[in-house]
Amino acid sequence: MNQTSSTPMPLRRSIAVNQLGYPAEAAKSFVYAGPGGEFEIVDTSSEEVVYRSTTGPSHWDEASGATVCRGDFGDLRTPGTYRVSLNGQSSAAFVIDSNPYTDLQQGLLKAFYYLRCGMELEEPFAGPWKHHACHTSEGIVYDDPSLRLDSCGGWHDAGDYGKYTGPGAKAVTDLLLAYEGNPGAFQRSIPLPESDDRMPDVLHECRYELEWLFKMQDPRTGGAFHKLTTKQFPPLDVMPEDDRAALYFLPVSATATACLAGVMAFAARVYRPFDDAFATRCLQAAERAWAWLDRTPPHPDGPGFKNPSDVGTGEYGDASDLDERYWAAAELYRTTGDANYHEAFRELAALPFAKYELGWTNMSGYGTIAYLLGAEASAHTDADLRATLQQGLLAEAERLALRCAEDGYLTSMRPEDYIWGSNMLLMNNAMLFLIARRLGGEERYRELALEHIHYLLGRNVLDISYVSGFGDRPVNHLHYRPSVADDVEAAVPGLVSGGPNRNLNDDYMQEHLQGLPPAQCFVDHELSYAGNEVTIYWNSPAVFAVSQFVK
């Protein structure tokens, strides 16, 4: 059910459900912030009680700061629209359906279209969120101001209008992995301006970003510029086409270069059946980036990229580039079968850094995934290394599973995980569960991933959907410049909010959220950039997770 601009947000309820609904054959539960007891499931069309049971025992949940209990109703599989009734209170209405997340998946993916830079978003595709083309001027190369390059295209990274190589590579990779893992979920047109009957829209959307990433490869060296931004962020109420400050290609970094190599090598495989010339171009870019890395010593402990003194946009600094190199080597080996890339991967795998992370600060998990998935089709991988990495990934999934058993809302989030971008951690963990299941892990990992989707869509202590436009209490006042400036009451739909942040890293949070438990450290307000901003790499793992439950 989509929230419209004229629909007032209901008051927060103590009974938290996934406000969209539950797959008919899956486990189903709600969480109640209270002492529990007998509950009823009511059919909203007939007002008849169709299911009765009793909640489990109550217990204190540290992250939410509440005494909670859970009510299970997995036996109810009849399609319909329902609500939970308990102790005189009611939940949001929700559906039970064989395929309840098709619109959600489409919305999460369509959000990338709204984030496009450099083209007019026309009303037939953008609706009321249309706007003129933006940021079409050439960019200035920061360390050689006499050099100007085409900078047009790609996705705005977040609530600002910057564009960043590493985060863009993560987002594209999540989407390509989602398509690779369940291509049938992407057969329906969004639609996009490029939609045709030949290539799925997810690949059209990724290509829009990949075409821009080509422009981030320094034509002089083959390294990748770290980012393309103005020197300072524009005010919050500025539409993208009105942001006319000079754009700068900020200096090449090893992390950005390795990310470009990794995502381009992956793209070369995925696009080969659809566009051979484009796939070849992707592989050439990847190999040229690797050549730059090959002649540039790694920096395992810094210094990584730092903003120049006159630049105040997002830094995305990263002290170590070992994880990004590890990922790049794995993707290049999987794509080409070249023994040199295999040897580079083996050497990097022997070094002491985490191998299962999926965030922009540590991209190692993508290297592990590429190697393990590639091993399914190759007889030339290192069997011992493959076994070690697979055992490690499954052990990581089991570690997260143990956390789920302890959490009041059934997620893998600990109190200390509610940081800036906590919903990215949430969805990254859901991704890891689903990858672990694909690589031979237990079936319950799939169910645990679904519990994370339930949290995102409202089964949380705040009874809020963290996806704009979806659910009956969705975020709507995002820290996102177009939604602040466009005079449209409803936020751009399908955007994932950053989520609760116990560190209260912005002034608005510090003023309004002092003393709250970690999972309650959130406010749906445009000034809360450390809690209510959006980014491409918060949406992308959500697309991955949700798409694996779409038929």
Side-chain angles (χ1 to χ4, degrees):
M1 119 177 53
N2 286 8
Q3 175 84 12
T4 65
S5 59
S6 60
T7 305
M9 179 181 281
L11 295 174
R12 174 178 163 188
R13 297 156 295 223
S14 296
I15 305 172
V17 298
N18 182 325
Q19 295 168 18
L20 292 191
Y22 300 80
E25 300 304 314
K28 307 171 195 70
S29 66
F30 64 87
V31 177
Y32 177 58
E38 183 176 288
F39 68 88
E40 299 175 336
I41 307 293
V42 179
D43 185 316
T44 61
S45 61
S46 67
E47 293 298 317
E48 293 182 0
V49 175
V50 298
Y51 190 89
R52 284 189 177 91
S53 190
T54 304
T55 65
S58 299
H59 66 280
W60 174 252
D61 180 52
E62 181 182 357
S64 65
T67 297
V68 301
C69 59
R70 186 170 72 249
D72 293 314
F73 54 101
D75 293 340
L76 179 59
R77 299 181 178 182
T78 305
T81 303
Y82 304 94
R83 68 174 184 271
V84 179
S85 179
L86 169 63
N87 291 344
Q89 302 178 55
S90 292
S91 73
F94 58 89
V95 303
I96 293 177
D97 189 81
S98 63
N99 201 21
Y101 303 138
T102 53
D103 289 345
L104 172 63
Q105 183 216 11
Q106 293 287 97
L108 291 166
L109 185 55
K110 178 65 176 286
F112 289 89
Y113 167 78
Y114 291 116
L115 289 159
R116 286 189 185 188
C117 181
M119 66 173 285
E120 181 177 359
L121 302 191
E122 299 176 333
E123 188 167 4
F125 299 100
W129 302 284
K130 63 183 184 295
H131 65 75
H132 299 298
C134 60
H135 306 101
T136 57
S137 63
E138 290 186 323
I140 302 165
V141 176
Y142 185 87
D143 57 12
D144 183 3
S146 65
L147 181 58
R148 309 284 176 111
L149 300 172
D150 180 9
S151 69
C152 191
W155 300 318
H156 296 143
D157 175 70
D160 60 274
Y161 300 132
K163 296 182 286 189
Y164 306 81
T165 301
K170 172 186 164 46
V172 170
T173 300
D174 289 342
L175 298 183
L176 295 181
L177 281 169
Y179 171 73
E180 183 182 63
N182 187 13
F186 295 93
Q187 296 309 304
R188 194 171 119 198
S189 175
I190 291 179
L192 299 172
E194 302 86 357
S195 295
D196 53 31
D197 295 325
R198 196 178 60 84
M199 191 164 78
D201 279 351
V202 63
L203 300 187
H204 285 300
E205 193 56 65
C206 287
R207 182 166 180 164
Y208 194 81
E209 178 77 353
L210 289 164
E211 293 280 8
W212 171 75
L213 283 170
F214 286 136
K215 300 175 184 181
M216 294 301 287
Q217 189 160 33
D218 186 347
R220 303 165 298 181
T221 67
F225 297 112
H226 194 77
K227 62 178 184 172
L228 176 74
T229 71
T230 54
K231 286 190 173 182
Q232 305 296 330
F233 291 129
L236 189 57
D237 60 353
V238 171
M239 287 295 287
E241 61 264 38
D242 297 325
D243 178 30
R244 298 190 177 93
L247 291 164
Y248 287 85
F249 288 91
L250 276 297
V252 167
S253 74
T255 53
T257 304
C259 284
L260 187 140
V263 72
M264 287 295 179
F266 189 178
R269 296 194 305 273
V270 175
Y271 285 88
R272 185 70 67 186
F274 300 99
D275 189 332
D276 189 66
F278 180 74
T280 296
R281 187 179 172 205
C282 289
L283 182 56
Q284 289 171 343
E287 291 178 326
R288 188 162 185 241
W290 183 265
W292 184 95
L293 293 167
D294 209 27
R295 59 179 182 266
T296 306
H299 56 268
D301 301 305
F305 177 86
K306 296 292 182 184
N307 269 339
S309 60
D310 59 341
V311 174
T313 51
E315 186 170 80
Y316 287 105
D318 189 346
S320 174
D321 62 355
L322 295 180
D323 50 290
E324 289 87 1
R325 289 172 182 260
Y326 170 85
W327 173 38
E331 296 285 10
L332 278 160
Y333 174 59
R334 185 180 177 194
T335 298
T336 67
D338 189 318
N340 291 321
Y341 297 126
H342 192 201
E343 184 57 31
F345 178 79
R346 294 173 64 187
E347 290 175 0
L348 287 160
L351 299 176
F353 60 90
K355 304 297 192 301
Y356 309 103
E357 299 293 319
L358 297 171
W360 62 263
T361 56
N362 188 329
M363 303 285 277
S364 61
Y366 296 104
T368 298
I369 291 166
Y371 192 71
L372 293 176
L373 293 180
E376 294 176 347
S378 173
H380 301 293
T381 52
D382 183 322
D384 291 339
L385 177 55
R386 177 187 178 186
T388 297
L389 290 175
Q390 180 156 329
Q391 290 166 9
L393 189 143
L394 295 179
E396 178 67 10
E398 190 57 30
R399 184 175 69 85
L400 295 176
L402 292 174
R403 290 187 196 168
C404 296
E406 300 169 353
D407 182 65
Y409 288 82
L410 298 175
T411 78
S412 55
M413 301 290 284
R414 302 163 300 179
E416 58 266 34
D417 291 330
Y418 289 91
I419 59 174
W420 198 332
S422 62
N423 281 338
M424 181 191 74
L425 297 181
L426 178 87
M427 289 291 99
N428 282 352
N429 290 351
M431 274 190 68
L432 191 135
F433 278 129
L434 291 163
I435 293 291
R437 174 65 192 89
R438 180 176 172 182
L439 290 168
E442 298 182 18
E443 181 62 30
R444 67 190 174 100
Y445 292 156
R446 179 176 167 84
E447 294 292 340
L448 292 176
L450 188 56
E451 306 291 8
H452 290 62
I453 294 171
H454 295 333
Y455 169 99
L456 191 72
L457 273 297
R459 202 188 64 187
N460 53 65
V461 68
L462 296 180
D463 181 41
I464 193 167
S465 167
Y466 289 111
V467 182
S468 59
F470 288 86
D472 74 343
R473 293 192 81 241
V475 290
N476 194 56
H477 303 286
L478 299 164
H479 182 86
Y480 175 58
R481 281 167 174 78
S483 278
V484 174
D486 63 9
D487 295 324
V488 180
E489 186 177 346
V492 169
L495 292 168
V496 175
S497 168
N501 176 4
R502 65 181 294 172
N503 297 319
L504 309 181
N505 294 112
D506 61 56
D507 292 342
Y508 196 88
M509 298 182 92
Q510 289 179 21
E511 181 179 351
H512 295 277
L513 302 176
Q514 291 288 346
L516 290 176
Q520 294 193 43
C521 289
F522 177 83
V523 59
D524 180 27
H525 197 282
E526 64 196 37
L527 295 182
S528 181
Y529 58 83
N532 206 29
E533 192 171 8
V534 303
T535 78
I536 54 176
Y537 53 87
W538 296 342
N539 257 70
S540 59
V543 171
F544 178 96
V546 169
S547 70
Q548 307 310 298
F549 295 92
V550 172
K551 298 177 182 177

